[in-house]
Amino acid sequence: MTAEPLVLGIETSCDETGVGIVRGHTLLADALASSVDEHARFGGVVPEVASRAHLEAIVPTMRRALDEAGVTLADIDAIAVTAGPGLAGALLVGVAAAKGYALAAEKPIYGVNHLAAHVAVDTLEHGPLPERSIALLVSGGHSSLLEVDDLANGVTPLGATIDDAAGEAFDKVARLLGMPFPGGPPIDRAARDGDRDAIAFPRGLTAPKDLERHRYDFSFSGLKTAVARWVEARERAGEPVPVADVAAAFQEAVCDVLTAKAIDACRERGIETLVIGGGVAANSRLRALAEERCAKYGIVVRAPRPKLCTDNGAMVAALGAHLVASGVAPSRLDLPADSAMPLTIVSV
């Protein structure tokens, strides 16, 4: 197999149907179909709606990606697909489609970990990862700190959320403030006009006693509750809610904890590269604060452009290309979809 394999990636773990095509570390196509508007009226992702949307979108999205890259299925060296974690029904659509295409075109298939793919996508922007790095993955379903030596050999989990994920907290606070779903982008926009120091919201798991047991873990449930109580108190008193200030102070509390713990992990392990990935990595304040704080300690921040932070097929293709180039054996055609796939498993 070539050192720059042509790999097609399929992503259907949540509400985005993505098909990406890469050659080595070069992105050739990134086709996406989102069902987010169908979930907005429910204030969150409905698994059955997501699965149906994937079924309807997978073939047209595949055609768009192949056309965009100017290749045919016969040209592809391997097919990678998100096998987990994610919504079980949604994952099954992608895995079944990948198996069908792999079987029809007689191509090897790689069932890969969605979270590892969020790390791998950075290689499309900044080239190969260094020998050692810390990865901060933040999305609607996950908030994790990982030590990455070589993605092909797996990652070492350092910490994770013990309740709400960061993106989940953004969605819930946005709903509280009358903003649309998903909550990340509207809170980011509103916060630009607010005072991040106007309200002192709590920083979860940062007290000395918490750091003893949860040094690299996250907790955003208490923060979400604190915001809700603050807003309710204003409303009870008949006072207007300063939406921009609430958004800015909440966002600062989240970004403060995420960056502080990530930098602590880098310094404690003597690692000079921090990779930020996942949907929340598109947040402008998180990116700015990470750059600002890491610069003080000589830590390099790597974050893909916002479009590659959210779920997409390109990240799956990027991880697949890395596995192929590293000589990792393909998955069996009967590979399962695993909605609770652990971080320690990069490919099945």
Side-chain angles (χ1 to χ4, degrees):
M1 192 74 76
T2 171
E4 288 208 328
L6 184 65
V7 177
L8 182 146
I10 297 174
E11 157 62 29
T12 64
S13 69
C14 192
D15 58 349
E16 313 278 8
T17 309
V19 179
I21 298 173
V22 307
R23 188 185 297 282
H25 298 304
T26 305
L27 178 61
L28 303 181
D30 182 23
L32 201 66
S34 176
S35 61
V36 68
D37 291 342
E38 297 175 49
H39 304 287
R41 64 193 176 102
F42 300 106
V45 177
V46 180
E48 292 80 3
V49 173
S51 301
R52 173 57 59 183
H54 288 310
L55 277 171
E56 294 170 354
I58 190 71
V59 172
T61 308
M62 171 69 81
R63 286 178 181 149
R64 276 195 294 128
L66 291 169
D67 289 346
E68 189 183 327
V71 299
T72 67
L73 200 56
D75 299 323
I76 299 294
D77 292 319
I79 294 172
V81 59
T82 296
L87 303 173
L91 289 167
L92 282 168
V93 176
V95 169
K99 288 177 179 179
Y101 286 118
L103 198 58
E106 298 183 324
K107 304 294 180 183
I109 186 171
Y110 288 81
V112 305
N113 189 304
H114 175 82
L115 299 176
H118 271 303
V119 179
V121 74
D122 185 72
T123 62
L124 301 179
E125 196 100 60
H126 301 114
L129 289 169
E131 262 186 34
R132 296 176 70 215
S133 59
I134 294 291
L136 172 65
L137 296 185
V138 273
S139 66
H142 306 276
S143 297
S144 306
L145 264 179
L146 320 170
E147 184 172 344
V148 183
D149 291 325
D150 178 0
L151 268 179
N153 299 323
V155 298
T156 305
L158 302 179
T161 182
I162 62 171
D163 43 54
D164 289 358
E168 190 180 353
F170 270 93
D171 292 340
K172 289 174 177 176
V173 169
R175 191 183 316 165
L176 191 70
L177 297 175
M179 296 175 179
F181 173 85
I187 283 184
D188 196 355
R189 285 192 295 271
R192 289 168 196 168
D193 299 320
D195 177 1
R196 64 178 75 110
D197 300 316
I199 309 159
F201 287 133
R203 271 61 168 162
L205 297 184
T206 56
K209 64 179 175 58
D210 292 324
L211 290 173
E212 285 176 21
R213 291 181 55 223
H214 297 288
R215 184 172 181 178
Y216 299 129
D217 291 325
F218 304 104
S219 170
F220 298 109
S221 181
L223 170 61
K224 172 201 67 185
T225 303
V227 175
R229 285 178 178 160
W230 195 92
V231 170
E232 286 161 9
R234 294 282 293 203
E235 290 172 340
R236 271 199 311 273
E239 298 173 7
V241 175
V243 172
D245 286 350
V246 174
F250 160 75
Q251 178 176 270
E252 189 68 11
V254 174
C255 297
D256 181 14
V257 174
L258 290 173
T259 54
K261 294 206 173 203
I263 290 168
D264 182 32
C266 288
R267 296 185 69 205
E268 196 264 333
R269 280 164 167 68
I271 293 175
E272 297 177 348
T273 302
L274 173 63
V275 180
I276 306 177
V280 180
N283 180 273
S284 63
R285 180 58 183 158
L286 177 61
R287 295 167 84 97
L289 191 59
E291 289 278 4
E292 179 188 316
R293 288 181 166 177
C294 284
K296 292 178 186 174
Y297 300 107
I299 298 167
V300 175
V301 178
R302 292 175 49 145
R305 58 184 179 271
K307 187 172 182 281
L308 292 179
C309 290
T310 50
D311 294 349
N312 59 79
M315 68 187 207
V316 180
L319 180 53
H322 180 69
L323 295 175
V324 172
S326 300
V328 174
S331 307
R332 290 163 48 109
L333 257 178
D334 62 353
L335 72 102
D338 182 357
S339 61
M341 182 184 288
L343 267 168
T344 48
I345 296 175
V346 171
S347 63
V348 292

